[in-house]
mmCIF file with all atom_site columns, all heavy atoms in Angstrom:
data_model
loop_
_atom_site.group_PDB
_atom_site.id
_atom_site.type_symbol
_atom_site.label_atom_id
_atom_site.label_alt_id
_atom_site.label_comp_id
_atom_site.label_asym_id
_atom_site.label_entity_id
_atom_site.label_seq_id
_atom_site.pdbx_PDB_ins_code
_atom_site.Cartn_x
_atom_site.Cartn_y
_atom_site.Cartn_z
_atom_site.occupancy
_atom_site.B_iso_or_equiv
_atom_site.pdbx_formal_charge
_atom_site.auth_seq_id
_atom_site.auth_comp_id
_atom_site.auth_asym_id
_atom_site.auth_atom_id
_atom_site.pdbx_PDB_model_num
ATOM 1  N N   . TYR A 1 17  ? 5.038  -1.237 -10.862 1.00 96.00 ? 121 TYR A N   1
ATOM 2  C CA  . TYR A 1 17  ? 4.816  0.201  -10.990 1.00 96.00 ? 121 TYR A CA  1
ATOM 3  C C   . TYR A 1 17  ? 6.134  0.942  -10.813 1.00 96.00 ? 121 TYR A C   1
ATOM 4  O O   . TYR A 1 17  ? 7.039  0.466  -10.119 1.00 96.00 ? 121 TYR A O   1
ATOM 5  C CB  . TYR A 1 17  ? 3.828  0.696  -9.919  1.00 96.00 ? 121 TYR A CB  1
ATOM 6  C CG  . TYR A 1 17  ? 2.493  0.007  -9.953  1.00 96.00 ? 121 TYR A CG  1
ATOM 7  C CD1 . TYR A 1 17  ? 2.183  -0.994 -9.045  1.00 96.00 ? 121 TYR A CD1 1
ATOM 8  C CD2 . TYR A 1 17  ? 1.525  0.346  -10.896 1.00 96.00 ? 121 TYR A CD2 1
ATOM 9  C CE1 . TYR A 1 17  ? 0.954  -1.629 -9.063  1.00 96.00 ? 121 TYR A CE1 1
ATOM 10 C CE2 . TYR A 1 17  ? 0.293  -0.287 -10.935 1.00 96.00 ? 121 TYR A CE2 1
ATOM 11 C CZ  . TYR A 1 17  ? 0.018  -1.266 -10.016 1.00 96.00 ? 121 TYR A CZ  1
ATOM 12 O OH  . TYR A 1 17  ? -1.201 -1.898 -10.045 1.00 96.00 ? 121 TYR A OH  1
ATOM 13 N N   . PHE A 1 18  ? 6.217  2.111  -11.418 1.00 97.00 ? 122 PHE A N   1
ATOM 14 C CA  . PHE A 1 18  ? 7.361  3.008  -11.228 1.00 97.00 ? 122 PHE A CA  1
ATOM 15 C C   . PHE A 1 18  ? 8.682  2.293  -11.513 1.00 97.00 ? 122 PHE A C   1
ATOM 16 O O   . PHE A 1 18  ? 9.587  2.275  -10.679 1.00 97.00 ? 122 PHE A O   1
ATOM 17 C CB  . PHE A 1 18  ? 7.360  3.612  -9.814  1.00 97.00 ? 122 PHE A CB  1
ATOM 18 C CG  . PHE A 1 18  ? 6.088  4.323  -9.466  1.00 97.00 ? 122 PHE A CG  1
ATOM 19 C CD1 . PHE A 1 18  ? 5.165  3.725  -8.616  1.00 97.00 ? 122 PHE A CD1 1
ATOM 20 C CD2 . PHE A 1 18  ? 5.796  5.572  -9.992  1.00 97.00 ? 122 PHE A CD2 1
ATOM 21 C CE1 . PHE A 1 18  ? 3.981  4.371  -8.281  1.00 97.00 ? 122 PHE A CE1 1
ATOM 22 C CE2 . PHE A 1 18  ? 4.615  6.223  -9.669  1.00 97.00 ? 122 PHE A CE2 1
ATOM 23 C CZ  . PHE A 1 18  ? 3.702  5.622  -8.817  1.00 97.00 ? 122 PHE A CZ  1
ATOM 24 N N   . CYS A 1 22  ? 7.826  -0.518 -7.150  1.00 98.00 ? 126 CYS A N   1
ATOM 25 C CA  . CYS A 1 22  ? 6.709  -1.104 -6.412  1.00 98.00 ? 126 CYS A CA  1
ATOM 26 C C   . CYS A 1 22  ? 6.274  -2.373 -7.135  1.00 98.00 ? 126 CYS A C   1
ATOM 27 O O   . CYS A 1 22  ? 6.011  -2.345 -8.332  1.00 98.00 ? 126 CYS A O   1
ATOM 28 C CB  . CYS A 1 22  ? 5.539  -0.121 -6.326  1.00 98.00 ? 126 CYS A CB  1
ATOM 29 S SG  . CYS A 1 22  ? 4.096  -0.799 -5.473  1.00 98.00 ? 126 CYS A SG  1
ATOM 30 N N   . PRO A 1 42  ? 13.097 1.623  -1.641  1.00 98.00 ? 146 PRO A N   1
ATOM 31 C CA  . PRO A 1 42  ? 13.379 3.015  -1.285  1.00 98.00 ? 146 PRO A CA  1
ATOM 32 C C   . PRO A 1 42  ? 13.229 3.938  -2.497  1.00 98.00 ? 146 PRO A C   1
ATOM 33 O O   . PRO A 1 42  ? 13.864 3.734  -3.540  1.00 98.00 ? 146 PRO A O   1
ATOM 34 C CB  . PRO A 1 42  ? 14.818 2.960  -0.783  1.00 98.00 ? 146 PRO A CB  1
ATOM 35 C CG  . PRO A 1 42  ? 14.934 1.579  -0.202  1.00 98.00 ? 146 PRO A CG  1
ATOM 36 C CD  . PRO A 1 42  ? 14.141 0.709  -1.160  1.00 98.00 ? 146 PRO A CD  1
ATOM 37 N N   . THR A 1 46  ? 4.278  8.903  -6.111  1.00 98.00 ? 150 THR A N   1
ATOM 38 C CA  . THR A 1 46  ? 2.909  9.383  -5.910  1.00 98.00 ? 150 THR A CA  1
ATOM 39 C C   . THR A 1 46  ? 1.956  8.326  -6.449  1.00 98.00 ? 150 THR A C   1
ATOM 40 O O   . THR A 1 46  ? 2.065  7.911  -7.600  1.00 98.00 ? 150 THR A O   1
ATOM 41 C CB  . THR A 1 46  ? 2.667  10.719 -6.641  1.00 98.00 ? 150 THR A CB  1
ATOM 42 O OG1 . THR A 1 46  ? 3.577  11.695 -6.118  1.00 98.00 ? 150 THR A OG1 1
ATOM 43 C CG2 . THR A 1 46  ? 1.234  11.197 -6.435  1.00 98.00 ? 150 THR A CG2 1
ATOM 44 N N   . ASN A 1 48  ? -2.077 7.207  -7.089  1.00 95.00 ? 152 ASN A N   1
ATOM 45 C CA  . ASN A 1 48  ? -3.464 7.652  -7.228  1.00 95.00 ? 152 ASN A CA  1
ATOM 46 C C   . ASN A 1 48  ? -4.378 6.532  -6.760  1.00 95.00 ? 152 ASN A C   1
ATOM 47 O O   . ASN A 1 48  ? -4.068 5.361  -6.944  1.00 95.00 ? 152 ASN A O   1
ATOM 48 C CB  . ASN A 1 48  ? -3.766 8.002  -8.686  1.00 95.00 ? 152 ASN A CB  1
ATOM 49 C CG  . ASN A 1 48  ? -2.954 9.184  -9.150  1.00 95.00 ? 152 ASN A CG  1
ATOM 50 O OD1 . ASN A 1 48  ? -2.952 10.229 -8.523  1.00 95.00 ? 152 ASN A OD1 1
ATOM 51 N ND2 . ASN A 1 48  ? -2.236 9.016  -10.252 1.00 95.00 ? 152 ASN A ND2 1
ATOM 52 N N   . GLU A 1 69  ? -2.788 17.897 1.820   1.00 96.00 ? 173 GLU A N   1
ATOM 53 C CA  . GLU A 1 69  ? -2.137 18.153 3.104   1.00 96.00 ? 173 GLU A CA  1
ATOM 54 C C   . GLU A 1 69  ? -0.718 18.651 2.870   1.00 96.00 ? 173 GLU A C   1
ATOM 55 O O   . GLU A 1 69  ? -0.111 18.364 1.840   1.00 96.00 ? 173 GLU A O   1
ATOM 56 C CB  . GLU A 1 69  ? -2.120 16.891 3.972   1.00 96.00 ? 173 GLU A CB  1
ATOM 57 C CG  . GLU A 1 69  ? -3.506 16.449 4.399   1.00 96.00 ? 173 GLU A CG  1
ATOM 58 C CD  . GLU A 1 69  ? -3.483 15.283 5.376   1.00 96.00 ? 173 GLU A CD  1
ATOM 59 O OE1 . GLU A 1 69  ? -2.390 14.828 5.770   1.00 96.00 ? 173 GLU A OE1 1
ATOM 60 O OE2 . GLU A 1 69  ? -4.584 14.818 5.736   1.00 96.00 ? 173 GLU A OE2 1
ATOM 61 N N   . LYS A 1 73  ? 3.647  12.531 7.423   1.00 98.00 ? 177 LYS A N   1
ATOM 62 C CA  . LYS A 1 73  ? 3.470  11.700 8.618   1.00 98.00 ? 177 LYS A CA  1
ATOM 63 C C   . LYS A 1 73  ? 4.304  10.438 8.439   1.00 98.00 ? 177 LYS A C   1
ATOM 64 O O   . LYS A 1 73  ? 4.332  9.858  7.358   1.00 98.00 ? 177 LYS A O   1
ATOM 65 C CB  . LYS A 1 73  ? 2.002  11.339 8.818   1.00 98.00 ? 177 LYS A CB  1
ATOM 66 C CG  . LYS A 1 73  ? 1.142  12.554 9.107   1.00 98.00 ? 177 LYS A CG  1
ATOM 67 C CD  . LYS A 1 73  ? -0.312 12.180 9.282   1.00 98.00 ? 177 LYS A CD  1
ATOM 68 C CE  . LYS A 1 73  ? -1.123 13.461 9.504   1.00 98.00 ? 177 LYS A CE  1
ATOM 69 N NZ  . LYS A 1 73  ? -2.554 13.217 9.449   1.00 98.00 ? 177 LYS A NZ  1
ATOM 70 N N   . ASN A 1 82  ? -4.940 5.379  6.310   1.00 96.00 ? 186 ASN A N   1
ATOM 71 C CA  . ASN A 1 82  ? -6.085 5.385  5.394   1.00 96.00 ? 186 ASN A CA  1
ATOM 72 C C   . ASN A 1 82  ? -5.868 6.407  4.293   1.00 96.00 ? 186 ASN A C   1
ATOM 73 O O   . ASN A 1 82  ? -5.343 7.498  4.552   1.00 96.00 ? 186 ASN A O   1
ATOM 74 C CB  . ASN A 1 82  ? -7.369 5.745  6.145   1.00 96.00 ? 186 ASN A CB  1
ATOM 75 C CG  . ASN A 1 82  ? -7.717 4.718  7.196   1.00 96.00 ? 186 ASN A CG  1
ATOM 76 O OD1 . ASN A 1 82  ? -7.536 3.525  7.002   1.00 96.00 ? 186 ASN A OD1 1
ATOM 77 N ND2 . ASN A 1 82  ? -8.216 5.177  8.323   1.00 96.00 ? 186 ASN A ND2 1
ATOM 78 N N   . GLU A 1 92  ? 7.428  8.455  0.628   1.00 98.00 ? 196 GLU A N   1
ATOM 79 C CA  . GLU A 1 92  ? 8.885  8.337  0.601   1.00 98.00 ? 196 GLU A CA  1
ATOM 80 C C   . GLU A 1 92  ? 9.225  7.135  1.463   1.00 98.00 ? 196 GLU A C   1
ATOM 81 O O   . GLU A 1 92  ? 8.933  7.119  2.663   1.00 98.00 ? 196 GLU A O   1
ATOM 82 C CB  . GLU A 1 92  ? 9.555  9.585  1.173   1.00 98.00 ? 196 GLU A CB  1
ATOM 83 C CG  . GLU A 1 92  ? 9.392  10.815 0.317   1.00 98.00 ? 196 GLU A CG  1
ATOM 84 C CD  . GLU A 1 92  ? 10.098 12.026 0.894   1.00 98.00 ? 196 GLU A CD  1
ATOM 85 O OE1 . GLU A 1 92  ? 10.593 11.973 2.047   1.00 98.00 ? 196 GLU A OE1 1
ATOM 86 O OE2 . GLU A 1 92  ? 10.148 13.037 0.180   1.00 98.00 ? 196 GLU A OE2 1
ATOM 87 N N   . THR A 1 93  ? 9.789  6.112  0.852   1.00 96.00 ? 197 THR A N   1
ATOM 88 C CA  . THR A 1 93  ? 10.173 4.930  1.609   1.00 96.00 ? 197 THR A CA  1
ATOM 89 C C   . THR A 1 93  ? 11.631 5.060  2.016   1.00 96.00 ? 197 THR A C   1
ATOM 90 O O   . THR A 1 93  ? 12.497 5.293  1.182   1.00 96.00 ? 197 THR A O   1
ATOM 91 C CB  . THR A 1 93  ? 9.944  3.646  0.797   1.00 96.00 ? 197 THR A CB  1
ATOM 92 O OG1 . THR A 1 93  ? 10.560 3.782  -0.479  1.00 96.00 ? 197 THR A OG1 1
ATOM 93 C CG2 . THR A 1 93  ? 8.461  3.383  0.607   1.00 96.00 ? 197 THR A CG2 1
ATOM 94 N N   . CYS A 1 101 ? -2.406 -3.774 0.931   1.00 97.00 ? 205 CYS A N   1
ATOM 95 C CA  . CYS A 1 101 ? -3.366 -2.715 0.615   1.00 97.00 ? 205 CYS A CA  1
ATOM 96 C C   . CYS A 1 101 ? -4.757 -3.309 0.638   1.00 97.00 ? 205 CYS A C   1
ATOM 97 O O   . CYS A 1 101 ? -5.073 -4.216 -0.139  1.00 97.00 ? 205 CYS A O   1
ATOM 98 C CB  . CYS A 1 101 ? -3.063 -2.108 -0.757  1.00 97.00 ? 205 CYS A CB  1
ATOM 99 S SG  . CYS A 1 101 ? -4.226 -0.788 -1.203  1.00 97.00 ? 205 CYS A SG  1
#
Side-chain angles (χ1 to χ4, degrees):
Y121 302 102
F122 305 104
C126 178
T150 300
N152 295 307
E173 294 186 2
K177 295 179 183 170
N186 297 322
E196 291 182 352
T197 51
C205 180

